[in-house]
Amino acid sequence: MGAIRTEELLLNVGPQHPSTHGVFRIIVKLDGEVITEAIPVMGYLHRGTEKLAENLNFTQIIPYTDRMDYVSAMTNNYVLCNAVEKMMGLEVPERAEFLRLIVMELQRVASHLVWWGTYLLDIGAMSPFLYAFKERETIVQLFNELCGARLTYNYMRVGGVKWDAPPGWLDKVREFVPYMEKKLVEYDRLVSGNEIFLARIKGVGRYDAETAISYGLSGANLRCTGIRWDLRRSEPYSLYDRFEFDIPVGTNGDCYDRYLIRLEEIRQSLRILKQALEQFPEGGETMGKVPRVIRPPAGEIYSSIESPRGEIGCHIVSKGKAEPYRLKFRRPSFVNLQILPKLLVGETMTNLITILGGIDIVVGEVDC
């Protein structure tokens, strides 16, 4: 018998997104079930953040950073404030920096919980999604008590934070840490060794360290190849050099390694939180000595930090005015998705969602 003759099929995957607006689209060419070409299409949620910033002062820009990655707003707040503080040589009070670090690590846990739940939902498991969002809700409530918002926090300021933690808030964070540690054990029992789950993701979406570097990948997408690069350790900022924590890495560079790394990053974030709470200063200011009008000196700077999805950077060009002359964000999702065409070609449609979820792209960081 001869081979089955098939015609090339052009398929639109998307625009799609977990929220109500569809913003990310991939055009795939299929030969039967096999993908022969994949083209990511961006631009459905372009809000012009970087151009809008040229007409805003630096405090007014902070709410825009919330919306670049709406499941990791705190880290986005920080990268902008940190860049301005470096330009101006501002000293942030210790109490404020501890609060910043605590909310950033809580945010990392919350972000990875969203990824864990939605990833498993996408590949056919319903229960983990419900568990993940139950735990995330505890963090969201903590943020709501701290800054009055559940998603876009606008909490950080150039020179510190908007205000101090309310009475009893730190005790609630202390209670959350051991609670979440127990839940991670349950997550592993429920999913990590499940035969069907392993068959879906082990060996899928594999690439090596050289490929990861050539595509500029960061975060778990880089560390899954064995490269131990995390800006909290490699180029320390905030108070991270005071704490002991490990940088999890993989060996195979596949979706399973990326899965294990993100779960381990939650454990390491809890470890950092435990140390930060033990060392938290009893008194002190939450805002440094900052001029009423923030005017960084003329010049430019690039500051980068480790967000849940990898390196997020802020490049500011200043002319000595209250508004930036130019502002550019290095968004990890935008860079990380560049490898998708390489990963998807030769795969079946069954593996498309597995690979997409394993890369962990937040579309708000793509269209900025």
Side-chain angles (χ1 to χ4, degrees), residues 200-216:
R200 283 296 305 271
I201 75 166
K202 224 170 183 181
V204 176
R206 180 179 290 175
Y207 51 84
D208 58 19
E210 185 180 352
T211 302
I213 292 171
S214 66
Y215 277 89

Side-chain angles (χ1 to χ4, degrees), residues 173-362:
V173 178
R174 286 188 184 93
E175 292 170 5
F176 171 76
V177 172
Y179 167 80
M180 191 64 229
E181 287 174 335
K182 290 178 183 177
K183 290 299 175 183
L184 285 171
V185 176
E186 294 180 12
Y187 289 3
D188 277 331
R189 286 210 326 252
L190 178 67
V191 176
S192 301
N194 183 285
E195 289 184 15
I196 299 172
F197 172 70
L198 293 176
R200 283 296 305 271
I201 75 166
K202 224 170 183 181
V204 176
R206 180 179 290 175
Y207 51 84
D208 58 19
E210 185 180 352
T211 302
I213 292 171
S214 66
Y215 277 89
L217 304 187
S218 59
N221 296 310
L222 173 65
R223 293 190 285 273
C224 69
T225 63
I227 297 175
R228 202 176 299 274
W229 179 264
D230 185 312
L231 290 167
R232 294 174 297 172
R233 179 72 78 206
S234 307
E235 297 178 3
Y237 57 92
S238 186
L239 303 171
Y240 284 107
D241 55 354
R242 299 190 186 186
F243 306 123
E244 293 182 5
F245 60 98
D246 299 323
I247 308 300
V249 295
T251 54
N252 299 313
D254 61 358
C255 286
Y256 186 55
D257 271 3
R258 294 191 277 280
Y259 168 89
L260 292 176
I261 284 170
R262 291 189 180 106
L263 277 188
E264 183 58 31
E265 284 181 2
I266 295 178
R267 293 188 182 91
Q268 296 304 318
S269 288
L270 296 174
R271 187 178 170 190
I272 293 169
L273 283 169
K274 201 179 295 184
Q275 295 173 73
L277 290 165
E278 289 172 357
Q279 299 177 29
F280 195 85
E282 290 188 12
E285 299 293 326
T286 56
M287 194 69 187
K289 295 180 179 178
V290 180
R292 186 177 293 275
V293 179
I294 297 169
R295 288 193 178 92
E300 59 183 290
I301 194 169
Y302 176 77
S303 176
S304 59
I305 67 168
E306 190 73 25
S307 87
R309 264 150 293 288
E311 179 184 342
I312 182 167
C314 180
H315 180 212
I316 299 173
V317 180
S318 173
K319 296 288 186 180
K321 296 183 179 180
E323 304 81 21
Y325 177 71
R326 290 287 186 272
L327 179 68
K328 175 69 178 176
F329 288 105
R330 190 259 189 213
R331 289 104 62 200
S333 292
F334 180 79
V335 178
N336 289 342
L337 71 75
Q338 311 302 321
I339 199 173
L340 281 179
K342 177 180 175 63
L343 290 185
L344 293 176
V345 171
E347 293 285 353
T348 63
M349 283 297 293
T350 307
N351 287 338
L352 183 141
I353 298 301
T354 305
I355 292 171
L356 275 180
I359 295 295
D360 187 19
I361 295 167
V362 169

